[in-house]
């Protein structure tokens, strides 16, 4: 007997190589089985998913959800379960001096799972630019905070932007790496600075410092600090970083996605590992709408449905070392499921610059199932 059966949808679970019409049985908040022919009489509740796409609960690997403490923080559920996403990752809104408010005040009001990258700046992103020099970094405090919340904090965050980039130089990255290593966590590095100086960049120098498992955010940006050389070719250091397993994350936001750069990357065999939104109050509904809208732009760029689902399920789960309980529909995993539909028509997608792109597919959320509980999803915007 199952608490819930999802019947007849096209189930795509890249972690298990599943793509086909089948059923999912859920018991006590966990996946009990994925397979054909589950009977209605064996289920307390049945969701008919014929014509729908059923995937592991989607993960948005870069959002800002420290609502009311940072000026651009959004409520987690707005970008999470209400938009077809069961897990979000806050990318550095909090630092060592501000982090405890997030589990105390924000998470109790959230049905969406939230994981965090802890900013090396002691006050996180409370004001921008967040850092000027080493006085803004509390080395021991950051390591201690990461160790105090191992179930929530999955990495360390740093932004390579002016003025700290120039004031500290490569020492900014070396120090961040030391903190991340001491906390035994990956380092997430933001590249691309809309307020940066053309030609002034540390990217070529710091890329060799990143290890397998570290994360490069906004990897398809065209802003100063991007990973292209002046002639438009890829920096060899970037290709080497990708080859040794540095995680390439989109973090679309206001400046993280240039279609020109994306075409250059894809044309040279560079795929993102994770597609994420960087959704925040300063971009939602303006240039960024939802994870599924951002993902649909990548369908228009030529990625397959299986690829974009992999980049929003098991890949981000693995990037925060949670792939054993997140990002798949394996038996026994928490029952986080996203039910989607494909809107076919003529859609126009914009990048964070001035370009637009036509596509015929727009993924839309229908229902989110969080720990076995169905939640009707609605979109926060369609563009
Ligand atoms: Zn961000």
């Amino acid at each position: 007997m199952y608490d819930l059966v999802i019947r007849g949808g096209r189930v795509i679970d890249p972690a298990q190589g599943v793509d086909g019409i089948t059923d999912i049985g859920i018991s006590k908040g966990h996946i009990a089985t994925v397979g054909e022919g589950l009977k209605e009489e064996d289920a307390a509740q049945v969701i008919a998913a014929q014509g729908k796409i059923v995937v592991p609960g989607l993960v948005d690997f870069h959002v800002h959800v420290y609502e009311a403490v940072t000026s651009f923080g959004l409520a987690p559920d707005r970008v999470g379960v209400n938009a077809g996403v069961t897990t979000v990752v806050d990318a550095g809104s909090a630092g060592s001096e501000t982090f405890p408010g997030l589990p105390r005040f924000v998470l109790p009001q959230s049905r969406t799972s939230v994981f965090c990258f802890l900013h090396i700046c002691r006050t996180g992103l409370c004001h921008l630019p967040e850092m000027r020099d080493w006085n803004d970094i509390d080395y021991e405090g950051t390591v201690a905070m990461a160790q105090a919340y191992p179930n929530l904090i999955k990495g360390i965050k740093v932004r390579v932007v002016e003025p700290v980039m120039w004031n500290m130089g490569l020492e900014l990255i070396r120090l961040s790496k030391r903190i991340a290593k001491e906390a035994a966590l990956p380092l997430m590095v933001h590249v691309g600075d809309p307020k940066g100086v053309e030609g002034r960049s540390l990217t070529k120098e710091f890329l060799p410092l990143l290890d397998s498992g570290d994360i490069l955010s906004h990897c398809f940006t065209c802003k100063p600090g991007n990973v292209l050389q002046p002639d438009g070719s890829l920096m060899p250091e970037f290709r080497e970083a990708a080859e040794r397993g540095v995680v390439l994350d989109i973090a679309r936001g206001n400046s993280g996605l240039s279609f020109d750069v994306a075409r250059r990357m894809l044309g040279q065999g560079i795929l993102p590992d994770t597609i994420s939104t960087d959704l925040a109050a300063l971009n939602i509904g303006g240039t960024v709408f939802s994870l599924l809208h951002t993902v649909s732009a990548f369908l228009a760029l030529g990625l397959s449905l299986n690829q974009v689902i992999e980049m929003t399920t098991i890949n981000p789960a693995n990037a925060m070392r949670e792939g054993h309980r997140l990002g798949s529909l394996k038996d026994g995993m928490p029952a986080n499921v996203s039910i989607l539909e494909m809107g076919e028509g003529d859609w126009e997608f914009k990048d964070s610059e001035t370009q637009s792109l036509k596509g015929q597919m727009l993924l839309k959320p229908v229902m989110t199932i969080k720990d076995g509980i169905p939640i009707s999803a609605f979109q926060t915007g369609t563009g």
Side-chain angles (χ1 to χ4, degrees):
M1 188 74 187
Y2 303 106
D3 298 324
L4 182 66
V5 164
I6 305 166
R7 286 187 75 199
R10 176 183 171 191
V11 176
I12 302 177
D13 182 6
Q16 301 193 85
V18 171
D19 180 359
I21 307 291
T22 191
D23 307 326
I24 300 173
I26 292 170
S27 283
K28 297 187 176 64
H30 289 76
I31 303 290
T33 188
V34 176
E36 275 174 81
L38 301 191
K39 296 195 183 72
E40 258 179 59
E41 53 268 31
D42 290 338
Q45 188 183 356
V46 174
I47 294 170
Q50 286 82 1
K52 306 285 190 281
I53 298 162
V54 182
V55 301
L58 295 173
V59 181
D60 192 338
F61 195 49
H62 190 136
V63 297
H64 292 281
V65 293
Y66 204 171
E67 195 187 14
V69 169
T70 57
S71 59
F72 49 81
L74 294 166
D77 289 350
R78 184 168 173 200
V79 292
V81 292
N82 292 343
V85 173
T86 57
T87 301
V88 298
V89 178
D90 185 278
S93 298
S96 60
E97 290 179 3
T98 58
F99 183 81
L102 206 134
R104 187 177 299 181
F105 301 117
V106 177
L107 303 194
Q109 302 179 51
S110 166
R111 299 173 79 176
T112 309
S113 290
V114 179
F115 294 103
C116 301
F117 277 64
L118 185 68
H119 206 304
I120 63 158
C121 173
R122 54 176 79 223
T123 50
L125 295 171
C126 279
H127 53 84
L128 296 176
E130 68 273 32
M131 288 200 291
R132 296 191 179 277
D133 55 39
W134 59 271
N135 288 306
D136 293 314
I137 302 168
D138 176 357
Y139 184 108
E140 287 82 13
T142 304
V143 172
M145 191 56 67
Q147 289 171 341
Y149 290 91
N151 295 329
L152 283 179
I153 296 176
K154 297 296 166 185
I156 302 295
K157 173 84 189 280
V158 64
R159 296 200 317 138
V160 188
V161 293
E162 305 276 3
V164 67
M165 172 190 109
W166 211 246
N167 293 348
M168 288 184 72
L170 271 187
E171 190 53 27
L172 173 67
I173 309 299
R174 290 200 193 97
L175 188 61
S176 303
K177 275 299 293 177
R178 283 203 294 276
I179 290 174
K181 273 194 177 145
E182 197 162 333
L185 291 171
L187 177 66
M188 177 187 278
V189 181
H190 163 129
V191 285
D193 187 355
K195 298 199 171 100
V197 181
E198 207 61 59
R200 199 156 100 162
S201 164
L202 292 178
T203 305
K204 211 174 171 55
E205 286 74 34
F206 84 67
L207 281 172
L209 303 178
L210 300 188
D211 294 312
S212 172
D214 288 334
I215 297 130
L216 192 68
S217 295
H218 317 288
C219 57
F220 283 12
T221 185
C222 65
K223 300 298 186 200
N226 69 67
V227 299
L228 300 179
Q229 306 191 99
D231 68 356
S233 61
L234 298 181
M235 274 178 196
E237 293 83 358
F238 171 74
R239 189 177 281 284
E240 286 159 21
E243 283 169 1
R244 72 175 174 272
V246 170
V247 175
L248 306 180
D249 182 42
I250 292 300
R252 188 224 185 270
N254 271 345
S255 59
L257 176 60
S258 149
F259 287 153
D260 264 350
V261 175
R263 287 194 192 92
R264 247 180 249 274
M265 295 278 193
L266 300 174
Q268 293 179 71
I270 298 280
L271 286 173
D273 294 294
T274 54
I275 298 175
S276 64
T277 61
D278 199 7
L279 272 164
L282 44 79
N283 59 38
I284 193 165
T287 56
V288 194
F289 297 96
S290 65
L291 181 61
L292 286 170
H293 190 270
T294 301
V295 154
S296 301
F298 278 86
L299 293 175
L301 280 165
L303 298 193
S304 72
L305 183 58
N306 273 270
Q307 283 177 312
V308 299
I309 298 303
E310 186 174 15
M311 292 166 186
T312 47
T313 56
I314 192 62
N315 285 3
N318 282 337
M320 52 183 166
R321 303 171 185 167
E322 289 288 323
H324 56 290
R325 57 174 177 167
L326 201 68
S328 175
L329 300 168
K330 287 182 186 144
D331 292 359
M333 279 193 168
N336 296 323
V337 185
S338 298
I339 303 180
L340 318 174
E341 64 186 5
M342 183 64 86
E344 287 175 14
D346 290 317
W347 309 100
E348 189 181 30
F349 301 96
K350 294 191 167 75
D351 66 4
S352 45
E353 305 306 314
T354 55
Q355 291 200 356
S356 59
L357 174 67
K358 297 240 187 291
Q360 273 68 54
M361 293 178 282
L362 180 67
L363 283 165
K364 301 176 182 182
V366 175
M367 184 179 283
T368 311
I369 292 156
K370 183 71 181 64
D371 297 318
I373 310 290
I375 302 167
S376 289
F378 60 91
Q379 234 176 344
T380 51
T382 62

